[in-house]
Amino acid sequence: MKKFSQGQQLALDLGCGRKRWDDWFNCNYVGIDIYKESKADILAAGFALPFKDNSFSFVTMFSVLEYIERDDDVLKEIHRVLKQKGSLLLISQNARATKANIRNDPSKKLLHKHVYGLRNINKKLKSSGFKPILFKHPILFLLGLYYHLTSVYFFTLSEVEK
């Protein structure tokens, strides 16, 4: 996180919750969430971000997208507020973890709106105007693949195409 946010002008943490990652940002950032109990700077929904076009150079979403019904609308909004060549760092539960959570507690099925893996999330990102850039960096790609295979989460780094 520190590496990816280094040198960025302004970042957005969508679904910031209690802002547990505050120390991980190496730039100024805005936290946004829909819950009053969060420590968000702004309360708003991801499908209607209250920012001008091209406002941010970096956006993060940590374990948020799988819970959002209108995920395509959120990704389009992120694309809108990101600057040309801006980056999106997305971390989400992988399909294996989501299915295990639901199997262990069927009530969680109501919370999860989508099940993602690297293949389908990258396809979804491409259709929203992003291009995966992990593949440009072999070390990042290998780390991301290792993380996906050994963890309950995956991460992907994408760049805006405008």
Short mmCIF file of all heavy atoms in Angstrom, two decimals, residues 1-3 5-8 22-28:
data_model
loop_
_atom_site.label_atom_id
_atom_site.label_comp_id
_atom_site.label_asym_id
_atom_site.label_seq_id
_atom_site.Cartn_x
_atom_site.Cartn_y
_atom_site.Cartn_z
N MET A 1 0.83 -1.19 0.00
CA MET A 1 0.00 0.00 0.00
C MET A 1 0.87 1.25 0.00
O MET A 1 0.63 2.17 -0.77
CB MET A 1 -0.85 -0.06 1.25
CG MET A 1 -2.25 0.38 1.27
SD MET A 1 -2.97 1.05 -0.12
CE MET A 1 -3.23 2.62 0.54
N LYS A 2 1.87 1.27 0.87
CA LYS A 2 2.74 2.44 0.92
C LYS A 2 3.43 2.66 -0.42
O LYS A 2 3.56 3.78 -0.87
CB LYS A 2 3.76 2.29 2.04
CG LYS A 2 3.17 2.48 3.41
CD LYS A 2 4.22 2.48 4.48
CE LYS A 2 3.54 2.75 5.81
NZ LYS A 2 4.44 3.20 6.82
N LYS A 3 3.85 1.56 -1.04
CA LYS A 3 4.53 1.66 -2.34
C LYS A 3 3.59 2.20 -3.40
O LYS A 3 3.95 3.08 -4.17
CB LYS A 3 5.06 0.29 -2.76
CG LYS A 3 5.73 0.25 -4.11
CD LYS A 3 6.06 -1.18 -4.50
CE LYS A 3 6.77 -1.34 -5.78
NZ LYS A 3 6.46 -0.53 -6.89
N SER A 5 0.85 4.00 -3.07
CA SER A 5 0.35 5.36 -2.82
C SER A 5 1.46 6.40 -2.83
O SER A 5 1.18 7.60 -2.87
CB SER A 5 -0.42 5.41 -1.50
OG SER A 5 0.42 5.11 -0.40
N GLN A 6 2.71 5.97 -2.81
CA GLN A 6 3.85 6.89 -2.82
C GLN A 6 3.80 7.78 -4.06
O GLN A 6 3.63 7.30 -5.17
CB GLN A 6 5.16 6.09 -2.83
CG GLN A 6 6.41 6.94 -2.77
CD GLN A 6 6.60 7.59 -1.41
OE1 GLN A 6 6.33 6.99 -0.38
NE2 GLN A 6 7.06 8.82 -1.41
N GLY A 7 3.90 9.09 -3.84
CA GLY A 7 3.93 10.03 -4.95
C GLY A 7 2.57 10.36 -5.56
O GLY A 7 2.49 11.16 -6.50
N GLN A 8 1.50 9.77 -5.05
CA GLN A 8 0.16 10.09 -5.56
C GLN A 8 -0.27 11.44 -5.01
O GLN A 8 0.06 11.80 -3.89
CB GLN A 8 -0.84 9.01 -5.15
CG GLN A 8 -0.50 7.63 -5.61
CD GLN A 8 -0.61 7.46 -7.12
OE1 GLN A 8 -1.23 8.25 -7.80
NE2 GLN A 8 0.01 6.42 -7.63
N ASP A 22 -5.05 3.76 7.65
CA ASP A 22 -4.59 5.14 7.67
C ASP A 22 -3.07 5.26 7.58
O ASP A 22 -2.54 6.06 6.83
CB ASP A 22 -5.11 5.82 8.95
CG ASP A 22 -5.21 7.31 8.83
OD1 ASP A 22 -5.45 7.81 7.71
OD2 ASP A 22 -5.03 7.98 9.85
N ASP A 23 -2.36 4.46 8.35
CA ASP A 23 -0.89 4.52 8.37
C ASP A 23 -0.26 3.98 7.09
O ASP A 23 0.93 4.14 6.87
CB ASP A 23 -0.34 3.74 9.56
CG ASP A 23 -0.70 4.36 10.90
OD1 ASP A 23 -1.04 5.57 10.92
OD2 ASP A 23 -0.65 3.66 11.91
N TRP A 24 -1.04 3.33 6.26
CA TRP A 24 -0.50 2.69 5.06
C TRP A 24 -0.46 3.64 3.86
O TRP A 24 0.14 3.31 2.84
CB TRP A 24 -1.30 1.46 4.70
CG TRP A 24 -1.17 0.34 5.68
CD1 TRP A 24 -0.66 0.40 6.95
CD2 TRP A 24 -1.55 -1.00 5.49
NE1 TRP A 24 -0.72 -0.82 7.55
CE2 TRP A 24 -1.27 -1.72 6.67
CE3 TRP A 24 -2.13 -1.68 4.43
CZ2 TRP A 24 -1.53 -3.06 6.81
CZ3 TRP A 24 -2.39 -3.03 4.58
CH2 TRP A 24 -2.08 -3.71 5.75
N PHE A 25 -1.12 4.78 3.96
CA PHE A 25 -1.14 5.71 2.84
C PHE A 25 0.07 6.64 2.92
O PHE A 25 0.35 7.21 3.97
CB PHE A 25 -2.43 6.55 2.85
CG PHE A 25 -3.61 5.84 2.28
CD1 PHE A 25 -4.43 5.06 3.09
CD2 PHE A 25 -3.92 5.94 0.94
CE1 PHE A 25 -5.53 4.40 2.58
CE2 PHE A 25 -5.02 5.27 0.41
CZ PHE A 25 -5.82 4.51 1.23
N ASN A 26 0.75 6.81 1.80
CA ASN A 26 1.88 7.73 1.69
C ASN A 26 1.46 8.99 0.92
O ASN A 26 2.26 9.56 0.19
CB ASN A 26 3.05 7.06 0.97
CG ASN A 26 4.03 6.43 1.93
OD1 ASN A 26 4.08 6.78 3.09
ND2 ASN A 26 4.80 5.49 1.44
N CYS A 27 0.20 9.36 1.03
CA CYS A 27 -0.32 10.54 0.36
C CYS A 27 -1.59 10.98 1.09
O CYS A 27 -2.10 10.26 1.93
CB CYS A 27 -0.61 10.25 -1.11
SG CYS A 27 -1.92 9.02 -1.39
N ASN A 28 -2.08 12.14 0.74
CA ASN A 28 -3.37 12.58 1.28
C ASN A 28 -4.47 11.72 0.68
O ASN A 28 -4.39 11.33 -0.48
CB ASN A 28 -3.63 14.04 0.92
CG ASN A 28 -2.70 14.97 1.65
OD1 ASN A 28 -2.31 14.72 2.78
ND2 ASN A 28 -2.31 16.04 0.98
#
